[in-house]
Amino acid sequence: QGQLVESGGGSVQAGGSLRLSCVTSGFIFSRKCIAWFRQAPGKEREGVATIHTDGGITSYGDSVKDRFTISQDSAKKTVYLQINALKSEDTAMYYCGAAGPMFSTTCPTKGDEYFVWGQGTQVTVSS
């Protein structure tokens, strides 16, 4: 089944930056989609970014595409989410999930297509 462990969250002021990490283990890293989702209290889970581990093709949610960057270090089996120009509306628990094996380079955007999730890392932005 595998395991994902997120880290890097914290409390920051608006305008600041964070880099979240998602360390994967227990499954073959290649031919997978790794996604970052977030969920704020009282709101639905929102997909923010995906990356296909073969070739590093990325996609972003419309609300974050100018400020978030997803990347990977295949040797470390780790996916990162760089968040810049943080806003109060970015406050949420951030989770990473893994899907696959993916024979298409288009990653799913629905959370229920991901077979394993991490425990989440909290991001809190104060204005």
Side-chain angles (χ1 to χ4, degrees):
Q1 182 75 357
Q3 184 178 17
L4 305 178
V5 179
E6 304 96 333
S7 63
S11 296
V12 297
Q13 289 191 331
S17 298
L18 284 173
R19 189 176 81 155
L20 309 184
S21 298
C22 172
V23 179
T24 75
S25 62
F27 59 85
I28 298 172
F29 191 71
S30 66
R31 204 173 282 174
K32 297 293 190 300
C33 283
I34 308 296
W36 284 96
F37 285 75
R38 67 184 180 184
Q39 188 164 22
K43 295 188 176 181
E44 293 186 356
R45 182 173 55 188
E46 176 189 11
V48 296
T50 68
I51 188 166
H52 194 289
T53 59
D54 290 359
I57 296 172
T58 62
S59 67
Y60 297 92
D62 289 340
S63 64
V64 305
K65 62 176 56 179
D66 294 330
R67 299 183 296 116
F68 288 27
T69 303
I70 190 170
S71 62
Q72 65 179 359
D73 183 330
S74 298
K76 296 182 178 179
K77 298 183 180 180
T78 299
V79 171
Y80 304 98
L81 185 69
Q82 177 70 38
I83 310 175
N84 297 326
L86 277 156
K87 304 176 180 180
S88 57
E89 52 261 45
D90 295 322
T91 295
M93 185 72 80
Y94 285 71
Y95 301 90
C96 61
M102 301 299 302
F103 298 98
S104 164
T105 55
T106 301
C107 288
T109 57
K110 295 182 179 179
D112 57 7
E113 297 189 55
Y114 289 79
F115 66 86
V116 61
W117 293 89
Q119 82 290 345
T121 186
Q122 177 68 38
V123 172
T124 302
V125 184
S126 57
S127 56

